[in-house]
Amino acid sequence: MAFVLIGFMGAGKSTVAARLAEQRGASPLDSDALLAERFGHSVAREFELHGEESFRADEEKLVCELLDDASTRDVLALGGGSVLSGRVREALAGHLTVLLDSDPVLAWERIHTSQDGAERPLARDREAFLALHSERSALYEELADAVLVWASSASGEYPVLVGRGLLTTGQLEQVWPLDRSSSRPFCVTDETVAALYAERLGDMRALVSIPPGERHKTLASAERVWHELVAAGMTRADHVVALGGGVVGDLAGFCAATYQRGVPVVHLPTTLVAQVDSAYGGKTGVDLPEAKNYVGAYHQPAGVIVDPATLETLPAQELAAGWVEVLKTALIAGGELWEIVARGDEVDERTILACVRTKLAVVAADERDGGRRQVLNLGHTVGHAIETVTGYSRYRHGEAVGLGLLTALRLSGTEPLREQVRELLLARDLPVTLDAGANADAIVDATARDKKRLGAGGVPFVLVKAPGEVNHGCEVAAEDVRAAVEELVG
Ligand SMILES: NC(=O)c1ccc[n+]([C@@H]2O[C@H](COP(=O)([O-])OP(=O)(O)OC[C@H]3O[C@@H](n4cnc5c(N)ncnc54)[C@H](O)[C@@H]3O)[C@@H](O)[C@H]2O)c1
């Protein structure tokens, strides 16, 4: 069973296949390049000489040969139109078929800025190119066992794979982003997730399980993880596997960032928060009693493997709380994602992918939170303060962020949108007020501490004009923050 990349022209299949093969210690196979070698000239020239039909026949023959001979370690990149052949589609059955995610407008631009346009006979007219993309999308999606989004930021690139069954039906070996014969995996998880999924991981050199919950995202847990990794013999050549929700991801990522000054980490997120948000972007860390996420490091993953089927075992309240990160992402993205969320649709793979794309695009533009990335903190300034003041135990992270969103929308002065968000939270049984007796002063103080992270001037709020129109760096008067928090106490 090989790893076979399909998808539209210009998506970057050849480049991604080469990177993946290198990570896995294998050589990539690229059907277009191999065909050009056989022809003795480019694919475009072949189109001119013998036409598309003749090209497709040769392509079908070569791709079927490749698929017949392929073994588990192989990474194959197939030409965009090759899956139009029924024989190719049949031959794909024994392999893991992965669709490389692409934005057609970016694909068009990539082809035409890389001087690649002349080499692509079906990319000469923009409208025809975009029409062909939408025509083929359904076929690609139907064939794909998983979708691959290629994440890139200033400090590195990594694959994100989203596919139902990747963890639960044992397809991990095909999608693992590192060569496990030269870099051994050491798993960090929590006790709940370990009982559900650890066995599915196959051979791990260690299984370090912390008790579940935010109260354990601490330096003490990190110290325990470091000691257990040493005891299990982990070296700098090995890697950490973070199996679990955002707590495990942040903690294991932090341990990976610091263990022997840094080892790779592969994330296997199992909660909605982690699948739509925390597993990407490289923010890792632990909480202090004084403030949330106060100790940490940026450490981009070596890869993220998302199996939405793991959400089936997630308790309903965790799923609801996780949905708040979807809501936050939709407020940032606007457009189709906001429409899905505003309708109150259940979260499916499409929604998860839309959140992944939004987060990765923001991080690609600003990895270190110097500017645009701050929009991802929407609802989090007050949300974090609520978590800290209530000892990381009264509210789930998503529940606190939901309350923080209501505060941010009050400060934004977008009353109808605030009311709409409040209704959406209520529909999922999420809190829209703080418990009677909640200490508003302490929350306001903790908010100021969160704001102090950047030194003088503080971290201003993220405010929302409308879905898709979110601004960071907005100065808000202290008395307005106090009034908005007090309003939550009722
Ligand atoms: N690094 C980032 O960019 C980022 C972004 C957002 C949130 N976060 C962090 O994420 C954390 C919250 O994450 P969370 O909501 O995933 O919490 P969590 O990791 O505590 O998981 C919630 C609960 O669900 C259980 N669980 C996990 N997967 C399960 C499954 N498939 N089936 C059954 N039970 C399962 C866990 O054992 C835990 O009890 C917070 O610490 C927050 O600060 C980080």
Side-chain angles (χ1 to χ4, degrees):
M1 190 193 252
F3 185 107
V4 185
L5 263 184
I6 62 166
F8 203 57
M9 64 185 122
K13 294 187 294 293
S14 306
T15 314
V16 167
R19 302 265 169 80
L20 285 176
E22 190 188 331
Q23 275 185 332
R24 295 150 65 102
S27 304
L29 295 163
D30 183 326
S31 71
D32 276 351
L34 290 167
L35 277 167
E37 226 172 77
R38 276 196 187 178
F39 297 144
H41 49 245
S42 71
V43 168
R45 180 85 182 119
E46 182 62 15
F47 263 61
E48 277 164 25
L49 290 175
H50 302 113
E52 182 170 357
E53 204 176 315
S54 159
F55 168 78
R56 294 285 172 220
D58 289 330
E59 183 183 49
E60 178 185 83
K61 188 163 172 288
L62 175 114
V63 170
C64 288
E65 280 167 24
L66 287 177
L67 291 171
D68 281 352
D69 294 345
S71 68
T72 302
R73 270 164 77 91
D74 287 330
V75 180
L76 274 66
L78 301 191
S82 60
V83 295
L84 298 172
S85 148
R87 274 191 62 211
V88 168
R89 293 200 295 273
E90 267 171 39
L92 280 173
H95 299 288
L96 188 85
T97 306
V98 178
L99 168 61
L100 180 58
D101 194 55
S102 73
D103 176 327
V105 174
L106 293 181
W108 171 265
E109 283 167 10
R110 192 178 300 134
I111 287 173
H112 289 271
T113 50
S114 68
Q115 311 284 323
D116 208 11
E119 291 303 315
R120 298 193 184 255
L122 298 178
R124 303 228 162 109
D125 173 83
R126 190 173 189 275
E127 291 318 307
F129 178 88
L130 297 179
L132 193 62
H133 183 279
S134 53
E135 192 186 305
R136 287 200 186 152
S137 292
L139 175 62
Y140 290 142
E141 282 171 24
E142 194 188 314
L143 288 171
D145 300 306
V147 176
L148 191 160
V149 185
W150 193 252
S152 59
S153 62
S155 71
E157 298 180 320
Y158 56 95
V160 173
L161 279 134
V162 180
R164 182 166 287 273
L166 288 179
L167 172 66
T168 46
T169 64
Q171 293 165 326
L172 281 182
E173 200 188 337
Q174 274 69 42
V175 294
W176 207 259
L178 298 172
D179 178 2
R180 277 162 70 153
S181 62
S182 57
S183 176
R184 301 169 305 165
F186 290 68
C187 181
V188 178
T189 185
D190 73 30
E191 287 157 5
T192 307
V193 179
L196 289 164
Y197 297 111
E199 264 185 20
R200 319 275 176 106
L201 293 180
D203 184 28
M204 291 283 129
R205 297 303 296 219
L207 187 69
V208 185
S209 293
I210 58 157
E214 186 75 32
R215 278 181 304 120
H216 299 283
K217 199 175 109 176
T218 57
L219 271 173
S221 296
E223 194 173 359
R224 185 184 142 196
V225 172
W226 289 319
H227 284 305
E228 293 201 28
L229 295 178
V230 176
M234 187 180 195
T235 71
R236 289 193 65 188
D238 300 320
H239 62 280
V240 167
V241 178
L243 172 72
V247 165
V248 164
D250 282 6
L251 173 73
F254 175 61
C255 290
T258 45
Y259 185 80
Q260 297 191 9
R261 299 200 180 85
V263 293
V265 58
V266 175
H267 285 273
L268 268 71
T270 62
T271 63
L272 191 53
V273 168
Q275 295 192 356
V276 299
D277 193 341
S278 64
Y280 323 97
K283 276 193 183 177
T284 73
V286 296
D287 303 329
L288 296 182
E290 295 88 341
K292 198 172 151 65
N293 295 337
Y294 241 51
V295 178
Y298 288 95
H299 190 54
Q300 298 296 341
V304 184
I305 302 169
V306 180
D307 181 352
T310 56
L311 301 180
E312 284 160 20
T313 55
L314 196 63
Q317 289 152 318
E318 292 295 344
L319 202 58
W323 178 82
V324 178
E325 295 286 14
V326 179
L327 172 63
K328 175 205 80 172
T329 309
L331 283 167
I332 294 166
E336 202 185 331
L337 182 56
W338 171 250
E339 283 167 27
I340 290 170
V341 165
R343 279 199 304 268
D345 289 1
E346 287 313 316
V347 175
D348 60 11
E349 274 130 281
R350 258 170 208 270
T351 308
I352 293 174
L353 274 164
C355 292
V356 171
R357 288 185 198 109
T358 303
K359 174 141 188 189
L360 291 178
V362 171
V363 174
D366 169 30
E367 182 179 352
R368 297 253 164 170
D369 237 351
R372 175 73 185 157
R373 184 168 180 167
Q374 287 165 29
V375 298
L376 297 173
N377 295 337
L378 173 61
H380 282 63
T381 307
V382 168
H384 282 168
I386 292 171
E387 286 186 89
T388 304
V389 165
T390 52
Y392 305 112
S393 54
R394 168 65 189 89
Y395 296 99
R396 292 177 178 82
H397 175 70
E399 292 170 345
V401 172
L403 292 163
L405 281 178
L406 292 176
T407 316
L409 290 167
R410 164 68 68 239
L411 295 170
S412 303
T414 41
E415 200 41 42
L417 184 60
R418 184 183 190 274
E419 190 46 37
Q420 190 180 5
V421 165
R422 190 175 166 278
E423 292 297 326
L424 287 167
L425 294 171
L426 281 172
R428 291 188 187 243
D429 238 352
L430 288 159
V432 294
T433 53
L434 282 160
D435 296 335
N439 190 338
D441 286 342
I443 293 171
V444 173
D445 288 350
T447 301
R449 202 154 40 244
D450 203 72
K451 291 177 68 165
K452 271 189 202 131
R453 281 185 216 202
L454 287 192
V459 181
F461 273 80
V462 182
L463 300 182
V464 186
K465 263 193 182 165
E469 285 183 59
V470 175
N471 297 310
H472 61 88
C474 305
E475 291 293 341
V476 175
E479 59 270 25
D480 292 342
V481 178
R482 180 173 302 276
V485 172
E486 279 171 355
E487 188 186 8
L488 287 179
V489 186

